[in-house]
Amino acid sequence: MSALPVPLNVYADHQATLQLHTDYGPAPLPVPNSTRSFWIDTPGANPLASEGSEGSLTADADVCIIGSGITGVSAAYHMGKLLKGPETSVQPLKVVILEARDFCSGATGRNGGHLTPIAFRDFRPAATAHGTDEALRWLALERHTATEIVKIIQEHELEQTVDLVEGGHIDLMFTPEEVADMKADYEAAKEAGVDLNNVRWFDEAEMKAQHGTAYPGVRAPGHNLWPLKFVTELYKLAASSPQLSLALHTRTPVTAVSLAEGTEDSSLSRRWTVTTPRGSLACSYVLHATNAYASHLLPHLRGPAGIIPTRGQIIATRANTTTEVLSRSSFSGNEGFEYWFPRPIKESDVSGYPLVILGGGREAATPAYELYVADDSAVSADVSDVLRKFLPAVFPGKYEEGHEPEMEWTGIMGFTASGDPFVGPVAGTSKEDIAESFKGQYISAGYTGHGMPRAFACAEAVSQMIAADFMGRDWVIPEWLPRHYVTDL
Ligand SMILES: Cc1cc2nc3c(=O)[nH]c(=O)nc-3n(C[C@H](O)[C@H](O)[C@H](O)COP(=O)(O)OP(=O)(O)OC[C@H]3O[C@@H](n4cnc5c(N)ncnc54)[C@H](O)[C@@H]3O)c2cc1C
């Protein structure tokens, strides 16, 4: 077995390091010259890239959504569904999405492409921190998200368009500590009544025979897909809703959200002025779907008590064997620090060997773990080095050593100390501190590098809150929503 190029069992050190920084400030705006990602920069992949970036800016909207990643676009989609009904059918809701760069060019356009709801991993720490019911809801939200996304794709026959693959997900365990933790989480989840019938364990010999790696693994349901293409289709569905008048302005950074003049009187409906270099908009509701960048507009959300920009790095590298040998599964290993999957074979894959999307390597980086790094215009040389060595070490002979990747890029994740997102009305630094001065502003952000199976449902919850307020009703909390995600509970 080759030595692995990354440090192992460092999650506890990562969490301690996250708290150590003292010199953090608010996040900057997204940098304009980001690295080129496979998902965004493959020709034809981003038809909405510059949508609404020229001409006049929408001046007035019921809801301003800041950010066009999976959160912002999912929110628009849900609003189109939620506002169906006689009381809202007279006037469609005016929703505008404002995006600093090209459409969906943040984390969603630069990520690892996994849509993997957690099956049981980390069940014990979640139950210890928040109780068993909350741990069960945490898993339920992820299952709900994945099920709904797959349902939308299937209902609209988009499987080929978004390259949906139901390959399952295998967690590789590199150390005895990882095996022990995983087994204990499995037992605890089973004990709490989680259905684990779809989970299968493989020992070293089985993994060697089936996948060419000598590490044990555990397999659970999961998909991989082209996230930007899914979000593009979701935007089209939202735009086709008769209940919405939806506008999108890309290349339009929001530089401030402030109380509209004269709106000390909170009954005024267009309470917020949203400022951009192209002009300003008057809005009743503002949704911060800015994830890693949230503290730019909400500076009190900076630092370990808020949302920490954290840079992730990915390579697209060619395997040295076929998908049949590798399997169509997505994988992760080393407590989730590394994650990878083979893309479906396309005509352009002349060798017949798949392109593999591999992310990780933050454990080898300086500054430590790429925490508090918000610049996706550059890659880390430390991370580049270990990513090139990782797959040849884990799957000897299946990847050529020294082979250069076809693309390499970075993206900025939004980490929280707890790992959980903030969902709901914008709050201060504690749940008790919901300021009247933020009334009408909402947030769904801070998915800690694991947003694909969470953002769609968190956006659903926050859209329900906005819709309920708009229609003068009480919000009914969905059973699947962890109460500890909600900012004002
Ligand atoms: C390298 C990497 C790998 C990842 N791999 C996975 C994975 O495999 N599976 C998984 O589940 N998750 C993964 N994630 C995490 C996942 O991509 C995110 O959790 C998810 O995409 C967050 O979606 P979002 O819409 O909230 O944020 P984003 O997609 O980042 O969207 C926020 C948008 O807001 C815009 N914005 C910010 N500030 C402003 C402003 N002031 N004005 C206007 N616009 C603004 C940004 O430009 C951006 O487009 C990964 C992330 C990265 C970076």
Side-chain angles (χ1 to χ4, degrees):
M1 201 183 294
S2 320
L4 293 172
V6 284
L8 304 176
N9 295 122
V10 291
Y11 179 72
D13 183 63
H14 176 275
Q15 290 307 97
T17 309
L18 183 149
Q19 303 280 355
L20 287 179
H21 286 253
T22 50
D23 55 351
Y24 49 78
L29 279 171
V31 300
N33 52 337
S34 39
T35 45
R36 291 164 59 79
S37 105
F38 172 82
W39 310 118
I40 297 172
D41 293 291
T42 295
N46 196 0
L48 297 170
S50 62
E51 185 79 5
S53 59
E54 289 177 354
S56 59
L57 185 73
T58 305
D60 172 89
D62 296 302
V63 187
C64 282
I65 299 174
I66 310 174
S68 68
I70 190 166
T71 301
V73 174
S74 296
Y77 171 83
H78 290 301
M79 284 174 202
K81 295 247 165 214
L82 287 165
L83 293 165
K84 275 191 184 136
E87 60 277 72
T88 57
S89 59
V90 184
Q91 282 254 311
L93 189 80
K94 285 175 77 177
V95 177
V96 59
I97 301 179
L98 299 160
E99 167 55 52
R101 307 194 290 204
D102 285 0
F103 179 72
C104 198
S105 59
T108 313
R110 330 188 130 263
N111 68 20
H114 298 219
L115 175 60
T116 309
I118 301 277
F120 62 85
R121 185 183 183 148
D122 290 333
F123 190 85
R124 286 169 311 146
T128 304
H130 306 291
T132 303
D133 287 351
E134 281 291 90
L136 291 171
R137 286 193 191 100
W138 158 57
L139 300 182
L141 176 136
E142 302 214 1
R143 281 196 307 272
H144 171 73
T145 307
T147 305
E148 290 301 305
I149 288 179
V150 170
K151 205 188 318 169
I152 291 170
I153 292 171
Q154 287 172 344
E155 262 172 28
H156 297 277
E157 298 180 357
L158 295 168
E159 291 93 335
Q160 300 295 321
T161 309
V162 307
D163 282 344
L164 181 74
V165 175
E166 186 179 6
H169 181 88
I170 298 176
D171 266 304
L172 290 186
M173 291 154 283
F174 294 148
T175 65
E177 291 91 329
E178 259 197 283
V179 175
D181 272 347
M182 199 73 94
K183 291 229 151 114
D185 283 332
Y186 177 88
E187 291 305 331
K190 202 164 145 196
E191 175 77 27
V194 179
D195 178 0
L196 296 172
N197 283 327
N198 287 329
V199 173
R200 228 194 113 193
W201 296 81
F202 299 96
D203 63 20
E204 289 86 335
E206 287 170 306
M207 288 302 293
K208 183 125 189 116
Q210 290 185 31
H211 301 292
T213 183
Y215 297 100
V218 56
R219 183 191 158 103
H223 290 78
N224 57 72
L225 79 177
W226 192 311
L228 167 60
K229 291 194 175 179
F230 171 67
V231 173
T232 303
E233 295 303 321
L234 200 62
Y235 177 81
K236 290 189 207 161
L237 291 172
S240 69
S241 164
Q243 304 301 327
L244 286 194
S245 156
L246 181 61
L248 166 63
H249 293 292
T250 61
R251 303 180 187 172
T252 307
V254 174
T255 51
V257 179
S258 49
L259 271 178
E261 262 177 47
T263 38
E264 288 76 24
D265 169 7
S266 63
S267 63
L268 266 180
S269 69
R270 297 295 190 237
R271 186 173 162 81
W272 296 108
T273 298
V274 171
T275 307
T276 82
R278 298 175 61 197
S280 57
L281 300 83
C283 305
S284 302
Y285 299 93
V286 174
L287 172 58
H288 295 261
T290 46
N291 203 36
Y293 305 96
S295 65
H296 185 74
L297 296 171
L298 300 169
H300 65 279
L301 288 185
R302 69 187 183 278
I307 297 177
I308 302 161
T310 301
R311 188 164 66 183
Q313 190 160 323
I314 309 265
I315 61 173
T317 188
R318 192 64 61 181
N320 200 25
T321 186
T322 60
T323 309
E324 286 62 44
V325 174
L326 293 176
S327 100
R328 295 160 79 233
S329 298
S330 59
F331 286 82
S332 56
N334 195 17
E335 304 174 291
F337 273 103
E338 278 67 52
Y339 42 94
W340 64 98
F341 78 95
R343 293 255 314 124
I345 291 286
K346 302 284 171 181
E347 265 174 33
S348 53
D349 296 314
V350 282
S351 66
Y353 296 162
L355 194 62
V356 176
I357 307 293
L358 164 69
R362 290 189 299 117
E363 328 82 285
T366 307
Y369 302 102
E370 300 276 79
L371 290 161
Y372 298 93
V373 180
D375 175 5
D376 62 7
S377 71
V379 297
S380 152
D382 302 329
V383 177
S384 294
D385 181 49
V386 295
L387 286 179
R388 279 158 180 69
K389 292 174 180 158
F390 182 77
L391 289 172
V394 178
F395 298 93
K398 307 285 186 290
Y399 295 86
E400 203 180 308
E401 282 180 39
H403 184 72
E404 269 303 293
E406 296 180 18
M407 285 183 90
E408 182 166 28
W409 65 91
T410 50
I412 311 302
M413 306 178 278
F415 271 51
T416 62
S418 65
D420 298 322
F422 296 102
V423 181
V426 169
T429 44
S430 75
K431 289 196 179 197
E432 291 70 41
D433 183 21
I434 305 278
E436 172 69 11
S437 53
F438 288 114
K439 194 170 183 294
Q441 289 196 46
Y442 291 77
I443 186 167
S444 184
Y447 308 104
T448 314
H450 185 62
M452 292 301 292
R454 299 204 276 185
F456 178 88
C458 292
E460 181 176 355
V462 92
S463 303
Q464 289 173 358
M465 296 176 200
I466 293 172
D469 194 73
F470 180 74
M471 294 191 278
R473 294 179 179 166
D474 286 336
W475 171 57
V476 181
I477 189 164
E479 181 44 41
W480 44 257
L481 181 65
R483 277 49 181 163
H484 68 279
Y485 283 13
V486 181
T487 52
D488 64 348
L489 284 183

PDB file of all heavy atoms in Angstrom, residues 136-153:
ATOM      1  N   LEU A 136     -32.009  13.070  13.782  1.00  0.00           N
ATOM      2  CA  LEU A 136     -32.866  12.392  12.801  1.00  0.00           C
ATOM      3  C   LEU A 136     -33.379  13.389  11.758  1.00  0.00           C
ATOM      4  O   LEU A 136     -33.464  13.084  10.571  1.00  0.00           O
ATOM      5  CB  LEU A 136     -34.045  11.705  13.504  1.00  0.00           C
ATOM      6  CG  LEU A 136     -33.649  10.499  14.356  1.00  0.00           C
ATOM      7  CD1 LEU A 136     -34.838  10.015  15.198  1.00  0.00           C
ATOM      8  CD2 LEU A 136     -33.112   9.359  13.493  1.00  0.00           C
ATOM      9  N   ARG A 137     -33.721  14.612  12.205  1.00  0.00           N
ATOM     10  CA  ARG A 137     -34.186  15.636  11.246  1.00  0.00           C
ATOM     11  C   ARG A 137     -33.060  16.045  10.299  1.00  0.00           C
ATOM     12  O   ARG A 137     -33.301  16.327   9.132  1.00  0.00           O
ATOM     13  CB  ARG A 137     -34.696  16.875  11.987  1.00  0.00           C
ATOM     14  CG  ARG A 137     -36.024  16.666  12.638  1.00  0.00           C
ATOM     15  CD  ARG A 137     -36.646  17.980  13.076  1.00  0.00           C
ATOM     16  NE  ARG A 137     -37.779  17.718  13.928  1.00  0.00           N
ATOM     17  CZ  ARG A 137     -37.767  17.784  15.258  1.00  0.00           C
ATOM     18  NH1 ARG A 137     -36.684  18.163  15.898  1.00  0.00           N
ATOM     19  NH2 ARG A 137     -38.844  17.492  15.950  1.00  0.00           N
ATOM     20  N   TRP A 138     -31.844  16.099  10.819  1.00  0.00           N
ATOM     21  CA  TRP A 138     -30.682  16.458   9.984  1.00  0.00           C
ATOM     22  C   TRP A 138     -30.577  15.452   8.810  1.00  0.00           C
ATOM     23  O   TRP A 138     -30.436  15.853   7.644  1.00  0.00           O
ATOM     24  CB  TRP A 138     -29.437  16.474  10.866  1.00  0.00           C
ATOM     25  CG  TRP A 138     -28.123  16.305  10.191  1.00  0.00           C
ATOM     26  CD1 TRP A 138     -27.633  17.080   9.186  1.00  0.00           C
ATOM     27  CD2 TRP A 138     -27.137  15.309  10.462  1.00  0.00           C
ATOM     28  NE1 TRP A 138     -26.393  16.633   8.827  1.00  0.00           N
ATOM     29  CE2 TRP A 138     -26.060  15.557   9.590  1.00  0.00           C
ATOM     30  CE3 TRP A 138     -27.040  14.250  11.362  1.00  0.00           C
ATOM     31  CZ2 TRP A 138     -24.909  14.763   9.585  1.00  0.00           C
ATOM     32  CZ3 TRP A 138     -25.895  13.471  11.362  1.00  0.00           C
ATOM     33  CH2 TRP A 138     -24.855  13.727  10.493  1.00  0.00           C
ATOM     34  N   LEU A 139     -30.698  14.170   9.116  1.00  0.00           N
ATOM     35  CA  LEU A 139     -30.650  13.175   8.039  1.00  0.00           C
ATOM     36  C   LEU A 139     -31.875  13.302   7.131  1.00  0.00           C
ATOM     37  O   LEU A 139     -31.775  13.152   5.906  1.00  0.00           O
ATOM     38  CB  LEU A 139     -30.571  11.762   8.619  1.00  0.00           C
ATOM     39  CG  LEU A 139     -29.365  11.451   9.513  1.00  0.00           C
ATOM     40  CD1 LEU A 139     -29.410   9.987   9.963  1.00  0.00           C
ATOM     41  CD2 LEU A 139     -28.053  11.727   8.804  1.00  0.00           C
ATOM     42  N   ALA A 140     -33.034  13.599   7.749  1.00  0.00           N
ATOM     43  CA  ALA A 140     -34.278  13.700   6.963  1.00  0.00           C
ATOM     44  C   ALA A 140     -34.203  14.850   5.970  1.00  0.00           C
ATOM     45  O   ALA A 140     -34.649  14.731   4.821  1.00  0.00           O
ATOM     46  CB  ALA A 140     -35.470  13.885   7.906  1.00  0.00           C
ATOM     47  N   LEU A 141     -33.624  15.989   6.389  1.00  0.00           N
ATOM     48  CA  LEU A 141     -33.509  17.127   5.469  1.00  0.00           C
ATOM     49  C   LEU A 141     -32.654  16.753   4.265  1.00  0.00           C
ATOM     50  O   LEU A 141     -32.961  17.103   3.122  1.00  0.00           O
ATOM     51  CB  LEU A 141     -32.904  18.342   6.188  1.00  0.00           C
ATOM     52  CG  LEU A 141     -32.663  19.549   5.284  1.00  0.00           C
ATOM     53  CD1 LEU A 141     -33.106  20.847   5.940  1.00  0.00           C
ATOM     54  CD2 LEU A 141     -31.220  19.677   4.826  1.00  0.00           C
ATOM     55  N   GLU A 142     -31.586  16.017   4.507  1.00  0.00           N
ATOM     56  CA  GLU A 142     -30.694  15.653   3.397  1.00  0.00           C
ATOM     57  C   GLU A 142     -31.390  14.669   2.446  1.00  0.00           C
ATOM     58  O   GLU A 142     -31.278  14.788   1.221  1.00  0.00           O
ATOM     59  CB  GLU A 142     -29.381  15.088   3.942  1.00  0.00           C
ATOM     60  CG  GLU A 142     -28.691  16.099   4.854  1.00  0.00           C
ATOM     61  CD  GLU A 142     -27.179  16.081   4.819  1.00  0.00           C
ATOM     62  OE1 GLU A 142     -26.612  15.274   4.053  1.00  0.00           O
ATOM     63  OE2 GLU A 142     -26.569  16.885   5.537  1.00  0.00           O
ATOM     64  N   ARG A 143     -32.127  13.723   3.011  1.00  0.00           N
ATOM     65  CA  ARG A 143     -32.866  12.778   2.152  1.00  0.00           C
ATOM     66  C   ARG A 143     -33.936  13.523   1.360  1.00  0.00           C
ATOM     67  O   ARG A 143     -34.133  13.280   0.168  1.00  0.00           O
ATOM     68  CB  ARG A 143     -33.538  11.695   3.003  1.00  0.00           C
ATOM     69  CG  ARG A 143     -32.604  10.592   3.454  1.00  0.00           C
ATOM     70  CD  ARG A 143     -33.402   9.370   3.938  1.00  0.00           C
ATOM     71  NE  ARG A 143     -34.378   9.716   4.950  1.00  0.00           N
ATOM     72  CZ  ARG A 143     -34.117   9.761   6.271  1.00  0.00           C
ATOM     73  NH1 ARG A 143     -32.921   9.483   6.725  1.00  0.00           N
ATOM     74  NH2 ARG A 143     -35.061  10.074   7.142  1.00  0.00           N
ATOM     75  N   HIS A 144     -34.631  14.449   2.037  1.00  0.00           N
ATOM     76  CA  HIS A 144     -35.678  15.242   1.377  1.00  0.00           C
ATOM     77  C   HIS A 144     -35.074  15.999   0.191  1.00  0.00           C
ATOM     78  O   HIS A 144     -35.621  15.990  -0.924  1.00  0.00           O
ATOM     79  CB  HIS A 144     -36.278  16.217   2.400  1.00  0.00           C
ATOM     80  CG  HIS A 144     -37.203  17.237   1.823  1.00  0.00           C
ATOM     81  ND1 HIS A 144     -38.476  16.928   1.385  1.00  0.00           N
ATOM     82  CD2 HIS A 144     -37.052  18.571   1.588  1.00  0.00           C
ATOM     83  CE1 HIS A 144     -39.067  18.021   0.928  1.00  0.00           C
ATOM     84  NE2 HIS A 144     -38.223  19.034   1.042  1.00  0.00           N
ATOM     85  N   THR A 145     -33.930  16.653   0.413  1.00  0.00           N
ATOM     86  CA  THR A 145     -33.293  17.424  -0.663  1.00  0.00           C
ATOM     87  C   THR A 145     -32.958  16.527  -1.850  1.00  0.00           C
ATOM     88  O   THR A 145     -33.313  16.838  -2.997  1.00  0.00           O
ATOM     89  CB  THR A 145     -31.974  18.077  -0.175  1.00  0.00           C
ATOM     90  OG1 THR A 145     -32.236  18.806   0.999  1.00  0.00           O
ATOM     91  CG2 THR A 145     -31.381  18.973  -1.235  1.00  0.00           C
ATOM     92  N   ALA A 146     -32.252  15.444  -1.567  1.00  0.00           N
ATOM     93  CA  ALA A 146     -31.801  14.584  -2.669  1.00  0.00           C
ATOM     94  C   ALA A 146     -33.001  14.003  -3.413  1.00  0.00           C
ATOM     95  O   ALA A 146     -33.034  13.971  -4.653  1.00  0.00           O
ATOM     96  CB  ALA A 146     -30.900  13.476  -2.125  1.00  0.00           C
ATOM     97  N   THR A 147     -34.021  13.575  -2.664  1.00  0.00           N
ATOM     98  CA  THR A 147     -35.208  12.984  -3.300  1.00  0.00           C
ATOM     99  C   THR A 147     -35.892  14.015  -4.195  1.00  0.00           C
ATOM    100  O   THR A 147     -36.279  13.715  -5.329  1.00  0.00           O
ATOM    101  CB  THR A 147     -36.205  12.521  -2.205  1.00  0.00           C
ATOM    102  OG1 THR A 147     -35.513  11.644  -1.347  1.00  0.00           O
ATOM    103  CG2 THR A 147     -37.409  11.824  -2.789  1.00  0.00           C
ATOM    104  N   GLU A 148     -36.048  15.241  -3.701  1.00  0.00           N
ATOM    105  CA  GLU A 148     -36.743  16.277  -4.475  1.00  0.00           C
ATOM    106  C   GLU A 148     -35.950  16.671  -5.723  1.00  0.00           C
ATOM    107  O   GLU A 148     -36.523  16.867  -6.791  1.00  0.00           O
ATOM    108  CB  GLU A 148     -37.000  17.516  -3.598  1.00  0.00           C
ATOM    109  CG  GLU A 148     -38.040  17.292  -2.510  1.00  0.00           C
ATOM    110  CD  GLU A 148     -39.396  16.875  -3.071  1.00  0.00           C
ATOM    111  OE1 GLU A 148     -39.933  17.598  -3.924  1.00  0.00           O
ATOM    112  OE2 GLU A 148     -39.903  15.821  -2.658  1.00  0.00           O
ATOM    113  N   ILE A 149     -34.643  16.801  -5.571  1.00  0.00           N
ATOM    114  CA  ILE A 149     -33.828  17.174  -6.743  1.00  0.00           C
ATOM    115  C   ILE A 149     -33.923  16.087  -7.813  1.00  0.00           C
ATOM    116  O   ILE A 149     -34.146  16.367  -8.994  1.00  0.00           O
ATOM    117  CB  ILE A 149     -32.354  17.442  -6.321  1.00  0.00           C
ATOM    118  CG1 ILE A 149     -32.273  18.770  -5.542  1.00  0.00           C
ATOM    119  CG2 ILE A 149     -31.428  17.480  -7.526  1.00  0.00           C
ATOM    120  CD1 ILE A 149     -30.874  19.146  -5.051  1.00  0.00           C
ATOM    121  N   VAL A 150     -33.795  14.846  -7.384  1.00  0.00           N
ATOM    122  CA  VAL A 150     -33.862  13.746  -8.355  1.00  0.00           C
ATOM    123  C   VAL A 150     -35.260  13.698  -8.990  1.00  0.00           C
ATOM    124  O   VAL A 150     -35.413  13.476 -10.201  1.00  0.00           O
ATOM    125  CB  VAL A 150     -33.477  12.405  -7.688  1.00  0.00           C
ATOM    126  CG1 VAL A 150     -33.773  11.216  -8.596  1.00  0.00           C
ATOM    127  CG2 VAL A 150     -32.001  12.426  -7.293  1.00  0.00           C
ATOM    128  N   LYS A 151     -36.300  13.953  -8.180  1.00  0.00           N
ATOM    129  CA  LYS A 151     -37.672  13.933  -8.701  1.00  0.00           C
ATOM    130  C   LYS A 151     -37.854  15.022  -9.783  1.00  0.00           C
ATOM    131  O   LYS A 151     -38.427  14.763 -10.846  1.00  0.00           O
ATOM    132  CB  LYS A 151     -38.656  14.168  -7.540  1.00  0.00           C
ATOM    133  CG  LYS A 151     -40.005  13.576  -7.853  1.00  0.00           C
ATOM    134  CD  LYS A 151     -41.132  13.876  -6.926  1.00  0.00           C
ATOM    135  CE  LYS A 151     -41.001  13.881  -5.469  1.00  0.00           C
ATOM    136  NZ  LYS A 151     -42.123  14.439  -4.749  1.00  0.00           N
ATOM    137  N   ILE A 152     -37.353  16.206  -9.520  1.00  0.00           N
ATOM    138  CA  ILE A 152     -37.473  17.291 -10.520  1.00  0.00           C
ATOM    139  C   ILE A 152     -36.759  16.878 -11.811  1.00  0.00           C
ATOM    140  O   ILE A 152     -37.284  17.036 -12.912  1.00  0.00           O
ATOM    141  CB  ILE A 152     -36.864  18.605  -9.974  1.00  0.00           C
ATOM    142  CG1 ILE A 152     -37.718  19.150  -8.832  1.00  0.00           C
ATOM    143  CG2 ILE A 152     -36.734  19.656 -11.080  1.00  0.00           C
ATOM    144  CD1 ILE A 152     -37.081  20.306  -8.072  1.00  0.00           C
ATOM    145  N   ILE A 153     -35.569  16.332 -11.659  1.00  0.00           N
ATOM    146  CA  ILE A 153     -34.791  15.932 -12.842  1.00  0.00           C
ATOM    147  C   ILE A 153     -35.556  14.873 -13.629  1.00  0.00           C
ATOM    148  O   ILE A 153     -35.680  14.952 -14.859  1.00  0.00           O
ATOM    149  CB  ILE A 153     -33.389  15.422 -12.409  1.00  0.00           C
ATOM    150  CG1 ILE A 153     -32.570  16.589 -11.845  1.00  0.00           C
ATOM    151  CG2 ILE A 153     -32.661  14.764 -13.573  1.00  0.00           C
ATOM    152  CD1 ILE A 153     -31.255  16.191 -11.175  1.00  0.00           C
TER     153      ILE A 153
END
